[in-house]
Amino acid sequence: DLELEADKYCDDGDLLFAWSASFGPFIWSGGRVIFHYHIWKLDVFSHDDLNKRFLYTWLLGKTQEIKASGHGISMAHMTKERFELLDVALPPFEEQTRIVAKVDELMALCDQLEQQQQDRRTLQNALRQSTMQALAGAQSPHELQTNWRSLQANFGWLFSEPRDVAELRSLLVELAIRGVLSPAGIQEAETNPAQPVVLQADQRAGRRFAKVTHVDPPFDLPATWTWALFDELLDGSDSGWSPKCDAEPRRPGEWGVLKVSAVTWGEFRAEENKRLPPSLDSRPECEVKAGDFLLSRANTADLVARSVIAPLDVQDRLLMSDKIVRLSFIDSELKPWANLVNNSQFAREYYRSNATGTSDSMRNVSRQVIHELPIPLPPKLVQTAVMQRLAELNQLCDSLESELTDKALYSARLSEAATAALTGINIKQDEDTVVKAPQTELIAPLRLATPPGIKAQAPLATLLVRHQGEMAARDLWQRFGGEIDAFYAQLKTEVAHGWIAEPDVAEVREKAAIAAVKA
C-alpha cells in the first residue's frame, strides 16, 4: 500500500544509471517499481533531439572508460556534480539513429561469435574428457598406446587454456595409481609383492571400522602391486570437536578450531579457522600435530573426504572440528601414497557413490566408508619412483600452464591495443593489475546506523554494536571471516536495511606505499 512521489518510480523503457556498486547505464524492463537511491533516472529533455538508445550507448562507452582508468579494488563511483559536467558529443538525430542501428548490428554479431565460442568450448571439453577417460580406463597396453596417440595428436586443441591443465594433472594421478607411470626397470627389479602390515584386533590402538575383509579389484594392477583396504593400513582414527566459536580467526597465542576448508584444497591451510572463545577450555587431544593425515567427513559431493598431510612446521593451538577425521597409520611412510590415492578421481567416485545426504552441497561419509576405500598398493620402492615421476610431470604441467597464461595475456593486450586504435579509448591496464592484484588495505570507516533486532541476519552490524558502533572496513572484514566478495555482498545488504550507515567511497591504498610513508 506504500505510495511515493511519481519521480521515485521507474517503468519499462526508462533509462537508469547506477552511480555506485553495479556501476553503469541500464534500460529498465521489469515493470513499474521503486528504484534505489544509488540509481538515477535520466529523463530525455527532447525526444526530437536525443535518441534514448544513443545516450544509453554513449554512457556504456563512458562507463567502460571510467572503469578502465581505475586502479586497485576500489568500487566505481560517480557524483551527481561530476556526472552533470560530462560533455556529450551529440550528432544530428538521424545520425544518432544510424549509430544505434549499427551498434545493434555489431552487437548481434558479437553475440553470435560468443555463442560460437561457447559451442566450440563445450565440444572441446567433451572431447578432452572422453579422451582422458578412455586413456585412464585402458585395459591393455595396446589400448593404452592407442588412446595416448589420440591425446597426443590433439594435445594443442584439447589443452588450450590454463584451466585445462588441472584435468591433465588429474589424469596423471589416475595413471600413477594404476601403475602406468611405474619406471620399467624398477618395476621389473622389484619382485616382492606389496603387502600391507596387518595388525590383529588386540594389537590395534583404535577400533576396526571396516565391515568387509577383502577388495573386489576395480581395475587390474601390475604383478607386484596388491589391493588393500584403507583399514588395513591404519592403526585407528579419531575426529575433533566443534564448540560454538567466534566467527573471526584466532589471534596470536589463542586457540582456533579448523574449518573443513583447512583440509579441502590439497594443502593444509592453517588460516582457515575460527577463534575458540577464551571462556572455553581447549581439548589438547584434538590438536593437530606435524604429519597428521587429515580429511573431511562432510563437504560437497565433489570435495567430501579430500585429504591433506599437516606440514612439519604446523602451527600449534589448532584443533580439529568434529567434521575432520585424523587417520593413524601403522607405517607412516605410506601416508604420501595414501594421500595421492585418496584425492584421485577413482576415490572421488567411490566417496560420491557411498556418501549420504540428499543435497550435493552437503554430503557425509562415515568412518566405515573411509576405512573401506580400496587402495592400489605398490611396493615402497615403486611408490617412491612413481611419486618422483609424477612430480617431474607436474613440473612440465607448470610450464604448460605458464605458457598458456602468457598466451592469454598477450591475446588480451592485442585486443586492448586494437580497441584503442579503433575507438581512441585506451583500456590497457597496468601490468601489475593484470598479472596480480596489488597488496592493498581497506581504510574506509563503517558506522552503525540502526541496531538490528535479535533475529536479524546482520553479522556486520552486530560486530559494530560490540565495538562502539564504528570500525575500519578492513578490521570488520577480518572479523567477519569470509571472502572479500561475500563481505561486500553482506555489507550491501545491511546498508540497504539501514543497519549500517551509507559508507563513504572506500579508499584503497597499497601497503608498500603505506610502509614508505611510515618509514
Side-chain angles (χ1 to χ4, degrees):
D1 297 331
L2 179 65
E3 285 294 332
L4 300 177
E5 295 86 352
D7 61 357
K8 298 297 188 295
Y9 293 88
C10 63
D11 213 331
D12 291 341
D14 282 344
L15 177 59
L16 308 176
F17 190 92
W19 57 267
S20 183
S22 54
F23 185 68
F26 306 88
I27 292 183
W28 183 249
S29 60
R32 189 171 186 267
V33 296
I34 301 169
F35 58 93
H36 194 270
Y37 69 94
H38 277 178
I39 297 173
W40 297 318
K41 183 169 70 171
L42 308 181
D43 294 321
V44 175
F45 69 94
S46 171
H47 291 279
D48 294 330
D49 298 301
L50 179 61
N51 185 314
K52 185 187 299 183
R53 290 281 303 174
F54 174 82
L55 181 57
Y56 165 75
T57 302
W58 184 87
L59 287 171
L60 277 178
K62 180 58 66 174
T63 297
Q64 293 303 315
E65 183 180 339
I66 293 171
K67 287 182 177 180
S69 65
H71 299 280
I73 59 172
S74 58
M75 190 180 298
H77 181 88
M78 171 75 77
T79 64
K80 190 171 185 295
E81 292 75 16
R82 182 183 171 196
F83 185 80
E84 291 176 343
L85 290 175
L86 292 176
D87 292 325
V88 183
L90 196 63
F93 187 82
E94 293 76 11
E95 183 67 15
Q96 296 176 38
T97 303
R98 287 193 292 271
I99 290 172
V100 170
K102 176 56 69 174
V103 169
D104 289 343
E105 177 186 346
L106 294 175
M107 291 302 292
L109 291 175
C110 289
D111 291 341
Q112 182 180 351
L113 174 61
E114 184 178 28
Q115 185 60 52
Q116 289 174 345
Q117 289 177 329
Q118 291 174 355
D119 293 343
R120 178 179 180 273
R121 183 65 180 169
T122 299
L123 179 62
Q124 183 184 29
N125 290 342
L127 179 59
R128 181 176 61 255
Q129 291 166 7
S130 63
T131 301
M132 292 195 300
Q133 287 172 0
L135 185 59
Q139 298 297 316
S140 67
H142 174 72
E143 187 179 356
L144 178 66
Q145 188 176 37
T146 300
N147 291 330
W148 179 257
R149 286 174 179 169
S150 176
L151 178 69
Q152 188 177 32
N154 297 284
F155 192 88
W157 194 73
L158 296 178
F159 302 96
S160 61
E161 296 185 13
R163 55 182 170 170
D164 298 339
V165 181
E167 295 184 42
L168 181 58
R169 295 182 195 274
S170 179
L171 172 63
L172 293 175
V173 172
E174 297 308 300
L175 296 178
I177 67 172
R178 283 166 167 77
V180 177
L181 301 186
S182 302
I186 292 180
Q187 189 73 48
E188 293 167 0
E190 183 59 74
T191 57
N192 296 321
Q195 292 293 338
V197 179
V198 180
L199 296 182
Q200 299 300 319
D202 59 352
Q203 296 177 299
R204 286 175 175 263
R207 56 174 286 203
R208 176 183 175 88
F209 285 91
K211 303 298 184 186
V212 299
T213 57
H214 70 282
V215 177
D216 292 326
F219 48 81
D220 293 334
L221 295 175
T224 58
W225 292 40
T226 190
W227 282 102
L229 294 172
F230 217 152
D231 191 80
E232 296 179 83
L233 311 182
L234 303 177
D235 192 21
S237 61
D238 64 311
S239 60
W241 171 50
S242 290
K244 185 172 180 56
C245 293
D246 297 333
E248 66 265 22
R250 64 171 187 167
R251 304 184 187 95
E254 296 180 331
W255 286 89
V257 178
L258 292 173
K259 299 186 287 187
V260 168
S261 52
V263 300
T264 296
W265 305 109
E267 60 179 7
F268 182 74
R269 298 186 177 181
E271 70 277 8
E272 293 292 326
N273 70 81
K274 293 184 178 181
R275 176 174 175 261
L276 183 70
S279 59
L280 296 179
D281 292 332
S282 65
R283 294 188 180 180
E285 69 273 14
C286 298
E287 185 178 11
V288 174
K289 301 296 185 182
D292 278 353
F293 190 103
L294 307 170
L295 54 80
S296 62
R297 65 168 182 82
N299 210 320
T300 66
D302 291 330
L303 299 176
V304 66
R306 288 287 298 270
S307 59
V308 298
I309 299 175
L312 296 179
D313 60 349
V314 65
Q315 300 174 20
D316 60 2
R317 299 187 177 229
L318 288 173
L319 303 173
M320 298 183 298
S321 72
D322 67 354
K323 290 184 171 62
I324 295 178
V325 176
R326 173 168 50 199
L327 303 183
S328 301
F329 281 70
I330 298 169
D331 183 351
S332 61
E333 293 182 356
L334 295 179
K335 288 181 183 179
W337 181 261
N339 191 47
L340 181 71
V341 175
N342 189 70
N343 289 325
S344 68
Q345 281 302 117
F346 160 70
R348 295 296 93 218
E349 291 299 328
Y350 167 82
Y351 286 125
R352 188 180 293 110
S353 61
N354 287 280
T356 59
T358 57
S359 171
D360 280 347
S361 63
M362 184 52 66
R363 304 297 295 275
N364 297 273
V365 292
S366 65
R367 224 67 92 72
Q368 177 184 341
V369 168
I370 295 170
H371 282 238
E372 290 180 355
L373 172 68
I375 302 288
L377 189 66
K380 284 187 180 180
L381 185 64
V382 178
Q383 291 179 34
T384 302
V386 172
M387 297 287 283
Q388 178 61 37
R389 180 57 178 155
L390 185 60
E392 294 169 356
L393 292 173
N394 273 320
Q395 288 182 346
L396 295 178
C397 287
D398 291 341
S399 299
L400 174 61
E401 193 169 21
S402 179
E403 290 176 5
L404 293 175
T405 299
D406 289 343
K407 178 183 175 182
L409 177 60
Y410 297 147
S411 297
R413 287 177 175 172
L414 177 61
S415 176
E416 291 165 358
T419 301
L422 290 171
T423 65
I425 300 176
N426 185 7
I427 62 172
K428 181 180 178 182
Q429 303 179 45
D430 294 337
E431 183 174 349
D432 287 344
T433 304
V434 175
V435 177
K436 59 181 181 180
Q439 287 186 316
T440 58
E441 183 177 20
L442 296 170
I443 61 174
L446 294 173
R447 300 178 180 86
L448 186 69
T450 303
I454 296 176
K455 296 184 178 181
Q457 298 296 316
L460 300 181
T462 302
L463 285 169
L464 289 175
V465 170
R466 296 174 184 172
H467 292 81
Q468 290 74 51
E470 181 175 335
M471 292 179 67
R474 179 176 178 274
D475 293 339
L476 185 61
W477 168 43
Q478 288 184 337
R479 291 184 179 276
F480 174 66
E483 299 292 337
I484 188 67
D485 290 342
F487 171 75
Y488 277 130
Q490 184 63 36
L491 177 60
K492 183 178 179 182
T493 298
E494 296 190 31
V495 169
H497 280 84
W499 297 321
I500 297 178
E502 177 69 25
D504 298 330
V505 181
E507 181 183 352
V508 180
R509 57 186 179 186
E510 294 193 17
K511 292 181 179 177
I514 298 171
V517 172
K518 290 181 178 178

